[in-house]
Amino acid sequence: MAIERTLSIIKPDATKRNLTGKINSKLEEAGLRIIAQKRIHLSKAQAGVFYEVHAERPFYDELCEFMASAPVVVQVLEGEGAILKNREVMGATNPAEAAPGTIRAEFAESVGENSVHGSDAPETAAVEISYFFAGLELVG
Ligand code: ADP
Ligand code: MG
């Protein structure tokens, strides 16, 4: 499998509970390398652009409010099959359905406040990484 890069976000529910280190440990233990990382506080408008694909969903406004409610940690992960591997480590969107040992099973509070984001395909990963990082910030 090819070396890939994917965008990860540690969401406000997790940064508020000081879970950045524990989540990073799970990512690193899975063989994902954090090649860029920064803590930022998104505006609701910036969150809205990031999640534009969900603009028609009933939870869109609530999602954008939540993502702007406290700082997030945005990061680029690199590794063999990193996109799918990160989705596996994250677990299902709804923590009640997430496999044991996954980040969402252990830390998520609800289907909305579910601790992490991860890109779902190579095309979205490229767009999402470029939304937050310049090429020179990716130190592989
Ligand atoms: P994922 O983050 O697993 O890729 P989606 O792309 O389907 O999930 O949804 C994006 C985000 O929107 C989710 O991570 C979650 O924060 C929020 N979300 C999804 N479904 C719901 C829902 N039914 N109610 C509230 N928030 C939701
Ligand atoms: Mg998604």
Side-chain angles (χ1 to χ4, degrees), residues 79-127:
E80 293 255 324
I83 297 168
L84 187 60
K85 187 176 281 182
N86 183 42
R87 297 291 310 191
E88 286 169 2
V89 180
M90 289 164 60
T93 308
N94 183 347
E97 294 163 8
T102 60
I103 292 169
R104 283 167 165 170
E106 289 198 12
F107 303 125
E109 303 201 290
S110 66
V111 65
E113 305 201 1
N114 58 5
S115 302
V116 280
H117 165 85
S119 308
D120 59 11
E123 301 71 30
T124 47
V127 171

Side-chain angles (χ1 to χ4, degrees), residues 28-72:
E28 291 185 337
E29 279 162 18
L32 293 162
R33 185 175 298 277
I34 301 165
I35 64 162
Q37 175 169 261
K38 58 190 170 191
R39 180 174 166 101
I40 58 175
H41 195 146
L42 290 169
S43 68
K44 190 176 173 186
Q46 289 167 337
V49 171
F50 180 75
Y51 275 121
E52 203 143 47
V53 62
H54 294 306
E56 303 306 319
R57 308 282 284 276
F59 56 80
Y60 179 66
D61 191 65
E62 175 193 334
L63 174 61
C64 297
E65 284 276 354
F66 164 59
M67 292 299 287
S69 66
V72 296

